[in-house]
Amino acid sequence: MLHNMDYIIGIDGGGTKTVGMLATKDGKTIAKTQTGPSNYHVVGIEQTKNVLTEIITQLKLKVPNSDLDSIRCCIGMAGLGRDEDREIIGHICDEIGINNRILTHDAHIGLVGGTGKQSGVIIISGTGSIVYGINEHGKEARAGGWGYILGDEGSGYDIAVKGLQAVARAADKREPATQITQLILKRLALNEPNDLIRWTHAASRDEIAQLASVVFVAAEIKDTKAEKIIDSAMSEFACAVETVVMQLEFSHPFDIVFSGGILLHQPILTDKLQRWIEKIIIGSSVIIPKHEPAYGAVLLAKAHL
């Protein structure tokens, strides 16, 4: 039987799902479990507590007669870079009995899991977007990640909204026609651009963000407006990456990890961005994630607790 201090739990708490991982002290995964969302901004404090309790309980079953005090734990969640959020989640941890812990944000565990190291840069583009980096001295920098009203440039949501706006402008003849119009109407089984007013008001943020893929299809068939939208996303990421890298002053080669649905599945944008980075950001290598964020949480706990 291993000694209790030999266990680490890493948790990736998201707005759509929560993933928990149990590992030995040298980072070997023993078990993994997944359940519903635990971002308390989305589901509320009570639900977050339930989900975390469920994950911890399930993983503890794999470690007979160990008490939580002796298990190292790292939780990564959107918003946990802010003090008030850390306080709320910290309070939940106290109630559940997770005392030996690190609380950090989702981009941090994504970066450590993605690079397999404690430093580097991550560009995340899913429903939302952010560029985050940490250097070998532990200095952090970020750009973007302001949420869909103030920012999230280059995210699925941002690209989709620009596509929808292009349809509206073309319908008014304020701008030339675009193939995005027919593609979106077909995807949503609507008859005319006007029908989009009602649809967008009823749609969730995720449902709107899903329409980004339509803009990429239009860009593939060389629709000028769609290509402009993708170029604009690319410029936003280029600007954010440059800002973050400049602040961190890396003294040795570092990885830039591409993460999130848009960057992992849309080569039109990914290839452009990768070529730009390779030309401009000297000393960096673009990679796809080596491990998932929950394992990044395990690596963080291993390094810091």
Side-chain angles (χ1 to χ4, degrees):
M1 184 72 212
L2 286 168
H3 182 260
N4 290 338
M5 270 321 253
D6 296 342
Y7 294 106
I8 298 171
I9 287 177
I11 296 175
D12 170 21
T16 42
K17 64 173 199 257
T18 301
V19 178
M21 227 172 229
L22 176 71
T24 59
K25 66 169 182 206
D26 47 11
K28 185 176 171 301
T29 308
I30 305 170
K32 182 179 160 182
T33 181
Q34 185 178 317
T35 175
S38 60
N39 178 341
Y40 85 89
H41 295 288
V42 179
V43 296
I45 292 176
E46 208 43 47
Q47 178 62 10
T48 298
K49 184 179 167 184
N50 294 342
V51 168
L52 290 178
T53 307
E54 186 187 333
I55 292 247
I56 295 283
T57 310
Q58 283 181 14
L59 293 176
K60 260 193 70 193
L61 290 174
K62 312 278 183 209
V63 193
N65 40 354
S66 74
D67 63 276
L68 260 180
D69 268 348
S70 58
I71 297 176
R72 291 177 278 170
C73 188
C74 172
I75 300 175
M77 244 178 224
L80 277 191
R82 292 187 289 271
D83 290 343
E84 58 195 286
D85 287 26
R86 255 203 304 271
E87 207 173 296
I88 287 167
I89 299 301
H91 187 61
I92 290 175
C93 290
D94 291 341
E95 289 179 0
I96 301 173
I98 308 170
N99 299 321
N100 195 4
R101 66 186 184 231
I102 292 175
L103 302 181
T104 188
H105 52 89
D106 50 349
H108 191 186
I109 60 169
L111 169 59
V112 174
T115 60
K117 300 172 190 155
Q118 297 293 322
S119 64
V121 172
I122 188 167
I123 309 173
I124 304 175
S125 173
T127 302
S129 68
I130 190 171
V131 175
Y132 166 78
I134 185 164
N135 70 11
E136 57 274 32
H137 309 297
K139 183 184 175 187
E140 299 175 83
R142 50 173 281 185
W146 287 84
Y148 73 107
I149 293 176
L150 297 176
D152 280 355
E153 296 87 353
S155 66
Y157 183 84
D158 176 53
I159 289 166
V161 166
K162 289 197 166 101
L164 288 163
Q165 288 169 341
V167 172
R169 296 178 77 86
D172 286 346
K173 309 210 174 355
R174 284 182 281 162
E175 276 182 12
T178 165
Q179 313 210 42
I180 301 173
T181 302
Q182 281 319 310
L183 290 166
I184 282 185
L185 293 179
K186 192 176 164 199
R187 161 74 70 91
L188 301 175
L190 298 174
N191 297 320
E192 52 177 314
N194 254 341
D195 298 338
L196 283 169
I197 298 176
R198 179 186 254 163
W199 184 87
T200 47
H201 280 290
S204 70
R205 207 168 15 167
D206 278 339
E207 283 169 328
I208 289 174
Q210 311 260 301
L211 292 178
S213 60
V214 176
V215 179
F216 283 101
V217 170
E220 272 159 34
I221 53 180
K222 299 277 181 264
D223 179 81
T224 319
K225 185 64 199 182
E227 288 180 321
K228 275 196 182 133
I229 294 171
I230 307 304
D231 285 345
S232 140
M234 149 60 212
S235 310
E236 290 287 1
F237 284 128
C239 170
V241 168
E242 212 163 7
T243 311
V244 166
V245 169
M246 215 162 59
Q247 291 174 68
L248 294 178
E249 303 172 310
F250 288 99
S251 55
H252 56 68
F254 62 98
D255 291 331
I256 296 181
V257 62
F258 281 11
S259 178
I262 298 286
L263 285 182
L264 293 177
H265 303 300
Q266 298 295 357
I268 294 188
L269 176 58
T270 309
D271 296 350
K272 270 188 179 156
L273 188 53
Q274 181 163 357
R275 281 198 302 274
W276 179 87
I277 288 171
E278 282 163 357
K279 201 170 88 194
I280 303 294
I281 310 290
I282 308 305
S284 71
S285 323
V286 171
I287 61 167
I288 60 167
K290 290 184 175 156
H291 310 284
E292 61 182 292
Y295 189 71
V298 166
L299 293 177
L300 262 169
K302 179 171 172 275
H304 295 293
L305 283 174

